[in-house]
Amino acid sequence: AAIEDRDLMGDGSLRQLAKVTGGRYFDNIYSHAKINTTIQKLTGTYYVLGYVIDEQQDGRFHDVRVDVKRKGCSVYGQRGYFNPKPFSEYSENEKLLHLIDLAMAEKPVLQVPTEVSLTALPIFDKGKSILIAFLGLPRSLALQALANRTEAFCLVFDNQGKTAAIVPLRITDPDLEKDFVQILFAVPTPPGRISCRIALCNMETGFG
């Protein structure tokens, strides 16, 4: 059946998205020649404005407005931005997405993770491949990462870089009085050449 109502076709949502984010919506994809010309003009002569803001974790929205006095100029930009809210106010799903981003992404979007040393040794026991991993944390980092609720995962990748296994890890009674805290993991792995990554996240503060 043909849908004649533009609101049901999604045009309204796309127009609103473009308006809020400072973009421009082109509704007729068949006019690609005209659209390409317009895009070329828009991106051929423009200024990009940027400024540094002090990040505060209060979740507040801040309006952004730019006025141009020169005639014939247009301004495209988002209406404002939200400060990140405190991690403790995240929903369980938001915390899970935060953890997945930390563990899976080469360059996590939601935070810049602190990298630590990891030593991994493969062993073969009773016909099974096992990875022994030693994770070393300076006490200053251990106090930030190892809270009352710390989630930890070991990700194993095959020789093609594909995820072969994701294993949740339990951290039991780390000695946080030492200057250097060592954590030992034993993880079953598939046979063949592999690489691994271990991600830790303080689920109270979001530190990873």
Side-chain angles (χ1 to χ4, degrees):
I3 300 178
E4 299 294 339
D5 191 337
R6 282 180 172 269
D7 291 334
L8 296 179
M9 293 172 62
D11 288 46
S13 299
L14 293 174
R15 290 178 187 278
Q16 180 64 16
L17 177 63
K19 185 177 181 180
V20 171
T21 59
R24 180 167 175 177
Y25 174 62
F26 299 95
D27 61 351
N28 188 354
I29 61 173
Y30 297 104
S31 301
H32 50 82
K34 183 178 180 180
I35 292 173
N36 289 340
T37 301
T38 303
I39 293 175
Q40 182 63 37
K41 289 181 179 179
L42 288 173
T43 59
T45 52
Y46 63 93
Y47 294 93
V48 177
L49 303 180
Y51 59 95
V52 179
I53 59 175
D54 294 326
E55 181 178 284
Q56 297 181 358
Q57 294 188 348
D58 55 17
R60 293 180 56 193
F61 181 79
H62 296 266
D63 292 299
V64 174
R65 177 176 173 178
V66 177
D67 293 320
V68 179
K69 295 182 178 180
R70 182 184 298 176
K71 293 183 178 180
C73 295
S74 300
V75 177
Y76 294 94
Q78 62 191 61
R79 293 181 173 181
Y81 65 92
F82 282 97
N83 277 342
K85 60 185 178 181
F87 192 79
S88 59
E89 295 181 8
Y90 282 25
S91 68
E92 288 302 312
N93 284 338
E94 288 173 327
K95 289 182 178 180
L96 179 59
L97 289 174
H98 186 91
L99 179 58
I100 292 173
D101 177 58
L102 171 68
M104 299 294 292
E106 290 296 331
K107 294 182 179 180
V109 175
L110 301 176
Q111 68 169 303
V112 179
T114 300
E115 295 188 357
V116 296
S117 60
L118 171 67
T119 300
L121 301 173
I123 65 172
F124 198 70
D125 181 50
K126 297 180 181 179
K128 295 182 179 180
S129 299
I130 299 176
L131 183 72
I132 305 296
F134 299 88
L135 184 66
L137 292 174
R139 184 170 182 269
S140 58
L141 290 181
L143 289 173
Q144 296 182 71
L146 306 180
N148 292 331
R149 185 186 172 193
T150 298
E151 296 284 352
F153 287 89
C154 179
L155 292 91
V156 179
F157 305 93
D158 62 20
N159 57 2
Q160 295 182 342
K162 297 181 179 179
T163 306
I166 302 177
V167 183
L169 305 171
R170 297 189 65 183
I171 302 174
T172 56
D173 300 324
D175 188 352
L176 299 179
E177 297 301 321
K178 293 183 178 180
D179 292 335
F180 196 78
V181 179
Q182 259 197 351
I183 305 171
L184 172 65
F185 297 117
V187 181
T189 59
R193 186 177 181 86
I194 62 169
S195 60
C196 74
R197 175 189 303 157
I198 289 178
L200 304 175
C201 185
N202 183 329
M203 300 304 285
E204 296 176 350
T205 66
F207 180 85

